[in-house]
Amino acid sequence: EIVLTQSPATLSLSPGERATLSCRASQSVGIYLAWYQQKPGQAPRLLIYDASNRATGIPARFSGSGSGTDFTLTISSLEPEDFAVYYCQQRSNWPITFGQGTRLEIK
Amino acid sequence: EVQLLESGGGLVQPGGSLRVSCAASGFTFSSYAMSWVRQAPGKGLEWVSAISSSGGGAYYAESVKGRFTISRDNSKNTLYLQMNSLRAEDTAVYYCARGGGSSPLDYWGPGTLVTVSS
């Protein structure tokens, strides 16, 4: 099973700041890495797929990069609605696995 | 508009069974793999199972293998998860999502809560 490790566990930033979230895989997943955002009481929402492709309707301030084992989600300038939990997920190998999540909180 | 709506959650005793369903609309259901993902209270996301577009291939997390069965009825645009021998640790919100190994999980339902307790 591929283990995804996200860092940091919690990130405290202010609106307007830049956020950088990391996801590291225990073995190569190629580009088959996605990022999801989840707000309290809501289902997850796909942000980025295949490492760097924004999903439909996702604002340009969200970007993804990386390949192999190291991936980054960047939010260029935080909006109030961006404070949430973010998960990475791989679909390179069965079983599909998720990272443990990064909580992005308002400083 | 793509819509997924889960149903069938509820309270079940340990060792019991439950079937949850996911009604899909707004896309050609038979063209997409589908998945179940769960989230225990206050915890992260855990992928549970996926099924190919035709239903010919099914995949499971080790934690549910042998107890859960995923299936689909493409004539009814509905995905199912049959859960047997339920344990307290299966308590979670169960989400259905479009996609699986061949594609990202791009649309999700609101989820249905399954509680396993005596």
Side-chain angles (χ1 to χ4, degrees):
Chain A
E1 168 176 318
I2 295 176
V3 176
L4 299 179
T5 302
Q6 292 187 239
S7 61
T10 303
L11 186 57
S12 299
L13 294 170
S14 301
E17 290 193 291
R18 181 183 187 90
T20 302
L21 287 66
S22 175
C23 178
R24 176 163 290 178
S26 59
Q27 65 188 76
S28 177
V29 299
I31 62 165
Y32 298 116
L33 192 287
W35 292 93
Y36 299 84
Q37 177 193 67
Q38 188 179 33
K39 297 179 180 179
Q42 296 184 16
R45 177 175 71 146
L46 176 66
L47 298 175
I48 301 289
Y49 66 96
D50 294 350
S52 61
N53 296 287
R54 271 190 304 276
T56 303
I58 301 304
R61 65 181 181 274
F62 291 91
S63 63
S65 63
S67 65
T69 60
D70 289 293
F71 299 86
T72 300
L73 173 69
T74 301
I75 311 172
S76 59
S77 179
L78 285 165
E79 297 288 341
E81 62 267 28
D82 298 337
F83 292 92
V85 179
Y86 292 83
Y87 295 94
C88 58
Q89 172 248 328
Q90 67 81 23
R91 60 180 181 88
S92 174
N93 285 50
W94 299 104
I96 289 171
T97 51
F98 288 89
Q100 82 280 15
T102 290
R103 180 178 303 279
L104 179 56
E105 63 177 29
I106 299 176
K107 188 173 183 179
Chain B
E1 180 192 3
V2 173
Q3 291 194 343
L4 299 170
L5 185 61
E6 303 90 343
S7 61
L11 175 64
V12 60
Q13 292 189 337
S17 298
L18 198 66
R19 188 178 80 162
V20 291
S21 303
C22 172
S25 61
F27 65 102
T28 304
F29 181 71
S30 59
S31 295
Y32 289 85
M34 297 292 295
S35 292
W36 289 99
V37 177
R38 69 183 180 184
Q39 187 169 38
K43 303 297 184 182
L45 301 172
E46 180 189 15
W47 173 80
V48 172
S49 183
I51 188 167
S52 64
S53 58
S54 66
Y59 307 87
Y60 298 94
E62 203 60 41
S63 58
V64 306
K65 199 173 290 185
R67 299 188 299 122
F68 289 13
T69 302
I70 191 171
S71 63
R72 64 191 297 160
D73 186 335
N74 286 345
S75 69
K76 295 182 178 179
N77 292 345
T78 303
L79 176 71
Y80 303 100
L81 186 67
Q82 176 68 43
M83 302 181 288
N84 298 330
S85 302
L86 282 161
R87 307 166 179 167
E89 54 264 36
D90 296 317
T91 294
V93 174
Y94 284 73
Y95 297 102
C96 73
R98 190 176 80 169
S102 57
S103 57
L105 304 175
D106 58 355
Y107 289 93
W108 297 61
T112 187
L113 176 62
V114 173
T115 303
V116 184
S117 175
S118 55

